[in-house]
Amino acid sequence: MTPGVSVAQLLRFWLWGTDANEDCERVKCTYHQMHLTGMVCGMALVELYGSSGPDGAAVVIFNDDDARTLVFECAVFLPHCYTAVADDADAAQAAATAAAASPEVTVAQTEEVAAAASAVAAAATGDDGRGASSSSCRVLPSADAVQMPTSVTLQQLRDLVQAVQTQWPSIQRAVVACATRAEQLELLQVVDRMVNQLFVWFTSYMFCSDIPEWQADDREFVDHTPPTHALALTEMGVKFFLNIFFVLYRLLYLQRHAVAAPRRAGYPFSVETFHVEAGVDDFHTLGMYHDIPPGCLLEYKHSYSGYFNNVSQVVYRHFPSYKQRQVATIEEVLAHDAPDLCVVPALKQIYPEVEFAFEDHHFSREVAGVHRAVLLQEYSSTRQRAANESAAAARQQQQQPGSGLRRAAAAAAAAAEPIPCASESLSRRVAACLGSGGDAGGAGAPSAGAEGGGDQHVQAANWLWFCIGGTVYLVSNTEGVAYSGCARDLLALYLRRVGVEG
């Protein structure tokens, strides 16, 4: 009997064990293996957190405090998560009216309350006091104005998913700006709860066959489906959400588990002007990948599978007036705080064997003529670090019993339990991919570990620059590990691993 699969294992299999570019022409199902596994992951999360009704109203994973954290710490705008400022103006006006009617209130107090009501109303309407309305956005009066809804319509769900997708660089900057690793993990837990909340809501709609007629605002996403011809999500609508969630979960996984490359004071290579000049094409290509929101490339490939699917098509679909970035100069590349976008194209000219990979890449290595998925195992070099982080989080949880760490610990414990929705065949497939022991996809792994079909017959590179969500990682297919850090430190680590530098 095959042991059960936990939610954590199933999610890891979905992200790294399935091929998002699988060729579906030879099979009857129009969904990729990645999409089908994502559907099972959604069911597993619904069972993990609990749900009642197609709108998922009973599921509260991401609360008001979490929403305020994203809004005020990450500078993220969350649509449909704010109370109307005009309500405060109405309340202030009502207070002024009540004060005027009370015989115990003096004229001066009444005028003071009325002035406060006028100020709130001016803030709500954007009136600058001169008879003109300000073109700036409304200013929220306090953190209490941020409130997470308990349920969402399909259009609201789409708005929230795209808001997180397009504003991911703001979240990334907030995570990097955290002073300690514990603060980073706590912020990532908030983001993880947000993505889980949206994914559970999407799953409720994905398996709903009677979506209300008034929610059918886009026939590409919602349409009448046989045999009952009731409203349900279309194939395009399901793929649209799954593609974005697939990339968002990949980003969260890398933020948590990527191994930090050691910082270097000097490097065994030097970047010259001709390296920068030779890397201009790579610079423009990386610039386009950096400028589109995460998930857009994969969504475009599946929506327009008959096209050439070049990244330039995706860019100009979302930004019709897009202009290429100005090429970085040698001085900008050599700067200490140079962004990886400027540095990596030049480094690629020095060591071209380290190839590029992007958000939809299926990482695999060839073993005995079979390509096996990597990045599935927990990294042995990070197990002690993870234990230390868990202990630190537990100590902080004891000091702050009201924080989100208690919910995070409970969710992590539940995610490690076997789930009943995974069939035995899926459990065997996941177990074969995850293998046993620390060698991800090693020679001893079962042959069922081979997944996908898009690049099975292409020799996979041993090391790759993985560009996803505006961040560059270095992935080792042989080790099955993703490394994070500045580009120069990553290349120095690669040279040590391959024996170029002692």
Side-chain angles (χ1 to χ4, degrees):
M1 181 68 182
T2 304
V5 176
S6 68
V7 176
Q9 290 176 324
L10 183 60
L11 282 172
R12 203 160 68 244
F13 170 77
W14 178 36
L15 301 180
W16 309 112
T18 62
D19 186 1
N21 295 314
E22 178 186 11
D23 185 5
C24 296
E25 294 182 356
R26 295 184 299 273
V27 295
K28 295 181 180 180
C29 182
T30 57
Y31 289 107
H32 290 224
Q33 183 191 65
M34 181 272 286
H35 296 131
L36 297 174
T37 309
M39 295 177 188
V40 179
C41 288
M43 296 171 57
L45 285 177
V46 169
E47 293 184 2
L48 174 64
Y49 291 105
S51 175
S52 63
D55 60 353
V59 179
V60 180
I61 307 170
F62 185 80
N63 59 20
D64 294 346
D65 292 334
D66 295 332
R68 294 179 187 119
T69 298
L70 286 187
V71 169
F72 295 106
E73 294 186 16
C74 302
V76 171
F77 172 75
L78 298 177
H80 315 295
C81 297
Y82 302 92
T83 57
V85 179
D87 293 345
D88 294 332
D90 295 340
Q93 188 63 47
T97 303
S102 176
E104 300 178 357
V105 179
T106 65
V107 175
Q109 290 174 328
T110 302
E111 292 177 351
E112 182 180 351
V113 174
S118 299
V120 174
T125 58
D127 193 344
D128 60 0
R130 294 170 295 179
S133 296
S134 173
S135 60
S136 60
C137 297
R138 291 183 177 182
V139 178
L140 295 176
S142 66
D144 293 335
V146 181
Q147 295 183 3
M148 192 66 187
T150 57
S151 62
V152 293
T153 66
L154 190 59
Q155 182 58 53
Q156 290 174 337
L157 174 63
R158 185 175 175 183
D159 293 341
L160 282 166
V161 170
Q162 291 183 315
V164 176
Q165 175 193 20
T166 56
Q167 297 176 92
W168 189 266
S170 297
I171 298 175
Q172 170 74 16
R173 287 191 294 269
V175 172
V176 173
C178 292
T180 63
R181 178 60 178 168
E183 292 180 1
Q184 288 184 339
L185 291 175
E186 187 168 2
L187 181 56
L188 287 172
Q189 287 288 358
V190 174
V191 181
D192 182 71
R193 288 195 291 271
M194 175 65 173
V195 178
N196 285 341
Q197 180 74 80
L198 299 177
F199 197 32
V200 167
W201 279 337
F202 157 69
T203 303
S204 299
Y205 278 109
M206 178 171 57
F207 293 105
C208 179
S209 59
D210 56 349
I211 297 177
E213 184 74 30
W214 59 271
Q215 293 201 40
D217 60 332
D218 190 342
R219 291 298 179 181
E220 288 188 339
F221 281 75
V222 180
D223 204 353
H224 299 279
T225 56
T228 62
H229 295 284
L231 284 177
L233 276 178
T234 63
E235 176 187 319
M236 180 177 181
V238 172
K239 288 184 176 181
F240 171 83
F241 283 106
L242 285 175
N243 290 333
I244 296 176
F245 282 119
F246 177 78
V247 178
L248 291 181
Y249 275 116
R250 274 191 162 195
L251 286 164
L252 282 170
Y253 182 93
L254 291 169
Q255 286 275 7
R256 283 200 185 96
H257 299 291
V259 179
R263 299 301 300 269
R264 293 285 300 258
Y267 303 99
F269 52 84
S270 60
V271 178
E272 305 295 341
T273 304
F274 55 85
H275 294 138
V276 177
E277 294 173 349
V280 169
D281 289 341
D282 289 336
F283 175 84
H284 287 312
T285 300
L286 287 184
M288 288 187 285
Y289 278 105
H290 275 61
D291 290 337
I292 57 176
C296 284
L297 177 69
L298 190 57
E299 185 268 327
Y300 186 90
K301 283 187 172 182
H302 288 165
S303 298
Y304 305 97
S305 58
Y307 290 11
F308 183 62
N309 295 143
N310 188 276
V311 65
S312 62
Q313 295 174 313
V314 186
V315 170
Y316 286 105
R317 179 198 178 196
H318 291 275
F319 310 105
S321 59
Y322 178 82
K323 295 182 179 180
Q324 289 184 329
R325 292 170 176 255
Q326 185 175 357
V327 179
T329 63
I330 184 63
E331 290 78 16
E332 293 173 334
V333 173
L334 295 178
H336 176 71
D337 57 347
D340 291 341
L341 173 61
C342 298
V343 181
V344 171
L347 300 182
K348 180 73 166 58
Q349 308 308 311
I350 305 176
Y351 293 97
E353 64 270 19
V354 184
E355 301 178 0
F356 288 124
F358 301 99
E359 63 181 34
D360 60 329
H361 187 77
H362 179 54
F363 293 93
S364 63
R365 58 177 295 209
E366 185 175 357
V367 179
V370 178
H371 281 259
R372 306 185 187 280
V374 300
L375 295 182
L376 287 164
Q377 294 289 341
E378 294 182 357
Y379 310 148
S380 58
S381 59
T382 61
R383 288 174 183 169
Q384 186 60 43
R385 185 190 70 179
N388 295 338
E389 292 169 352
S390 300
R395 289 193 298 270
Q396 188 171 358
Q397 176 184 342
Q398 294 175 357
Q399 298 172 359
Q400 302 177 359
S403 67
L405 290 173
R406 184 178 300 278
R407 285 185 294 147
E417 296 295 326
I419 56 177
C421 67
S423 64
E424 184 174 351
S425 60
L426 177 61
S427 299
R428 291 183 182 277
R429 180 71 63 86
V430 175
C433 256
L434 296 179
S436 58
D439 184 13
S447 59
E451 297 296 340
D455 60 348
Q456 272 196 339
H457 302 290
V458 179
Q459 178 63 39
N462 289 331
W463 293 80
L464 300 118
W465 295 110
F466 186 29
C467 308
I468 179 173
T471 306
V472 179
Y473 297 90
L474 182 67
V475 176
S476 169
N477 274 332
T478 54
E479 300 175 3
V481 179
Y483 295 96
S484 63
C486 75
R488 293 186 181 90
D489 292 333
L490 292 175
L491 186 59
L493 182 145
Y494 158 75
L495 295 177
R496 287 198 304 273
R497 288 289 192 272
V498 298
V500 176
E501 180 195 12

